[in-house]
């Protein structure tokens, strides 16, 4: 199967209309607020000598951080515009970037053959994927892990919808970064809380550890405090 043309075009349009400036995407938080915290949770389970694949890498901010901590880091994204931005932001070539739909089973299998067993970083991808694509995304994680890899998955919870609704209900309407997400037809926190562990299990993944967290955003509340969206994290392996 493949992602819908609507979904693909939504992401291409979003990234074409997002600048190269750090933090211009609402989720483009500094790695110290994102991947660094997540690696503390993944590290007890993962072999850093294996490659790590950042699925849904966007402009590659987190991928570049991961590249300094694993033998090899590859960022994968559906959007060609996102991959182009990621490459521009990494002129030293500290990481690799590739356009690939996670619903492309043949493409994912080819990547898995090329990499061998790999660790996976998946931040906030399942919750905003079209419903038919969530299980293929989870299967892509399982395929890339192989037997030795470990995955870190973080997904927004239903509670985050209320936070986003409050943010959008300000006197001026949604702030610019959130408005751009909504204007491009992207749907944050669209998956039910119980769906994420269900699709992981159906993909043949075992949850080794899990817990609540919050995903830092680059948007602010009127008082200047950082917007953080409720989420849940999982460390997974092939069952």
């Amino acid at each position: 199967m493949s992602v819908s043309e609507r979904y693909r075009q939504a992401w291409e349009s979003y990234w074409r209309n997002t600048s190269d400036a750090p933090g211009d995407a609402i989720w483009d938080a500094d790695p110290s607020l994102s991947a660094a915290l997540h690696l503390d949770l993944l590290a007890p389970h993962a072999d850093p000598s294996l490659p790590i694949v950042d699925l849904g890498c966007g402009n590659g901010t987190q991928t570049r951080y991961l590249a300094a901590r694993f033998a090899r880091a590859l960022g994968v994204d559906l959007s060609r515009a996102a991959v182009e931005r990621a490459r521009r932001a990494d002129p030293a070539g500290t990481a690799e970037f590739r356009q690939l739909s996670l619903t492309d089973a043949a493409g994912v299998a080819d990547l898995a053959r090329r990499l061998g067993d790999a660790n996976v970083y998946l931040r906030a991808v399942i919750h905003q994927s079209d419903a038919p694509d969530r299980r293929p995304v989870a299967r892509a994680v399982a395929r890339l892990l192989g037997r030795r890899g470990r995955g870190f998955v973080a997904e927004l919870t239903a509670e985050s919808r209320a936070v986003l609704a409050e943010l959008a209900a300000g006197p001026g309407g949604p702030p610019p970064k959130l408005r751009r997400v909504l204007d491009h037809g992207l749907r944050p926190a669209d998956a039910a809380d119980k769906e994420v562990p269900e699709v992981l299990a159906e993909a043949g993944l075992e949850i080794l550890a899990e817990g609540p967290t919050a995903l830092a955003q680059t948007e602010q509340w009127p008082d200047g405090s950082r917007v953080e969206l409720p989420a849940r994290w999982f460390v997974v392996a092939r069952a």
Side-chain angles (χ1 to χ4, degrees):
M1 67 178 293
S2 62
V3 295
S4 70
E5 189 60 22
R6 179 211 68 81
Y7 185 77
R8 186 188 304 276
Q9 288 303 319
W11 279 108
E12 285 296 345
S13 176
Y14 176 84
W15 282 112
R16 283 197 302 268
N17 287 277
T18 299
S19 79
D20 285 349
D24 195 33
I26 191 171
W27 49 77
D28 189 30
D30 187 88
S32 65
L33 301 171
S34 190
L37 304 179
H38 299 156
L39 284 193
D40 287 343
L41 299 167
L42 177 62
H45 306 275
D47 179 353
S49 71
L50 297 179
I52 190 164
V53 188
D54 181 7
L55 299 179
C57 68
N59 62 359
T61 298
Q62 311 306 320
T63 322
R64 295 191 300 276
Y65 177 86
L66 296 171
R69 285 151 182 84
F70 288 85
R72 178 183 180 188
L74 171 66
V76 169
D77 203 278
L78 168 70
S79 165
R80 182 177 301 277
V83 170
E84 290 171 352
R85 289 185 184 284
R87 288 172 176 159
R88 284 201 299 272
D90 187 21
T94 58
E96 304 164 61
F97 298 96
R98 174 174 173 174
Q99 182 189 15
L100 177 67
S101 169
L102 299 182
T103 67
D104 177 1
V108 170
D110 178 68
L111 179 60
R113 284 191 295 270
R114 292 172 183 271
L115 287 177
D117 292 356
N119 299 304
V120 167
Y121 183 62
L122 185 80
R123 182 179 64 122
V125 173
I126 294 174
H127 77 90
Q128 49 76 24
S129 296
D130 284 343
D133 298 334
R134 293 169 193 157
R135 282 165 176 77
V137 168
R139 288 196 293 269
V141 173
R143 184 68 179 84
L144 290 166
L145 292 180
R147 292 299 170 190
R148 294 185 298 147
R150 299 294 182 263
F152 184 88
V153 177
E155 295 294 338
L156 298 184
T157 64
E159 187 182 354
S160 64
R161 287 197 293 270
V163 176
L164 290 167
E166 181 182 354
L167 186 63
K177 294 175 186 179
L178 177 57
R179 183 183 298 278
R180 194 161 68 247
V181 169
L182 301 175
D183 285 350
H184 285 86
L186 304 175
R187 299 191 294 262
D190 195 48
D193 290 354
K194 66 177 184 178
E195 186 174 359
V196 173
E198 286 176 353
V199 301
L200 295 176
E202 289 175 17
L205 292 167
E206 176 187 1
I207 295 173
L208 304 179
E210 63 177 300
T213 187
L215 298 187
Q217 308 295 294
T218 61
E219 197 60 90
Q220 296 180 329
W221 294 104
D223 66 2
S225 60
R226 182 181 298 277
V227 173
E228 295 186 333
L229 298 180
R232 193 159 187 86
W233 63 268
F234 307 86
V235 173
V236 298
R238 287 275 287 272

